Amino acid sequence: MPLPNYLGADPRRRPDPGTQVLAQGLGWLSIGLGLTELAYGGAIARWLGMPRAAPVIHAYGVRELLQGAGILGSSDPTPWISARVAGDALDIATVLPGLEDPNPLKHNVLLALGALIGVTAVDVICAQSLAKAPLEPSQKVRQDYRRRSGFRQRAEAMRGAARDFTPPPDIIGPEAMRPWRSAKA
């Protein structure tokens, strides 16, 4: 069973230049965010009022670095951008518990959620644009069909081959719709 279009990489995929630039930008964003989460995961967790989430944020930093490297290093970043969308869902699910009552820094959590929702929207738009990008035919396909006409024989050999063919009555049409002929003719 083949993978869905947004999960499988295809080197023949040819997205428009704007989508390519957006994907590259998201790759660099992943690298920067991953480095930030690795270096300052504890500070980010304290800023959110969720100090026990520091190890999770460090792990998300590794994920972001891998996704950024995948986006920047592959000929088709479609599956990597789709992985970013899934990662955004994880980030949102991780930050949501920060809105509970004992957290005095809920305003910081709301800021983080707003940023996460905005980035998720950009990731979804990029993933959809990449998945809908047309595929360029492979070189082998072009070579196979370049000189074909669609006929098995040359035109001279086929001339007159169907002269003695009589079509079956059901192809001609129903009896009531056939031309009327007199008995004298």
Side-chain angles (χ1 to χ4, degrees), residues 89-101:
L90 279 175
D91 293 342
I92 291 171
T94 302
V95 172
L96 275 176
L99 292 176
E100 294 175 0
D101 282 332

Side-chain angles (χ1 to χ4, degrees), residues 155-179:
E156 296 83 23
M158 291 188 296
R159 287 195 209 291
R163 279 194 187 121
D164 60 342
F165 176 75
T166 306
D170 60 338
I171 289 180
I172 296 172
E175 184 71 34
M177 296 185 73
R178 292 189 194 152

Side-chain angles (χ1 to χ4, degrees), residues 100-165:
E100 294 175 0
D101 282 332
N103 187 357
L105 300 173
K106 288 180 191 176
H107 58 282
N108 290 348
V109 174
L110 288 173
L111 284 172
L113 280 173
L116 285 169
I117 290 170
V119 169
T120 302
V122 173
D123 287 343
V124 167
I125 290 169
C126 186
Q128 288 177 343
S129 296
L130 285 169
K132 292 178 184 174
L135 298 180
E136 180 180 85
S138 66
Q139 189 66 22
K140 183 177 181 182
V141 170
R142 279 194 232 149
Q143 287 178 351
D144 282 347
Y145 292 101
R146 191 175 299 170
R147 293 190 177 100
R148 290 191 178 181
S149 67
F151 299 108
R152 293 183 182 195
Q153 300 174 2
R154 300 183 59 136
E156 296 83 23
M158 291 188 296
R159 287 195 209 291
R163 279 194 187 121
D164 60 342
F165 176 75

Side-chain angles (χ1 to χ4, degrees), residues 14-107:
R14 297 292 177 253
D16 62 290
T19 303
Q20 287 177 338
V21 169
L22 179 60
Q24 295 294 311
L26 289 172
W28 286 112
L29 175 69
S30 286
I31 298 286
L33 186 59
L35 290 173
T36 303
E37 287 176 339
L38 276 177
Y40 302 106
I44 293 170
R46 287 189 303 277
W47 181 78
L48 290 171
M50 303 169 62
R52 295 188 324 184
V56 174
I57 293 174
H58 288 295
Y60 288 172
V62 173
R63 182 200 71 215
E64 289 286 348
L65 284 173
L66 291 173
Q67 289 171 347
I71 291 169
L72 296 173
S74 68
S75 62
D76 181 19
T78 306
W80 295 100
I81 297 292
S82 296
R84 273 191 55 83
V85 173
D88 293 340
L90 279 175
D91 293 342
I92 291 171
T94 302
V95 172
L96 275 176
L99 292 176
E100 294 175 0
D101 282 332
N103 187 357
L105 300 173
K106 288 180 191 176
H107 58 282

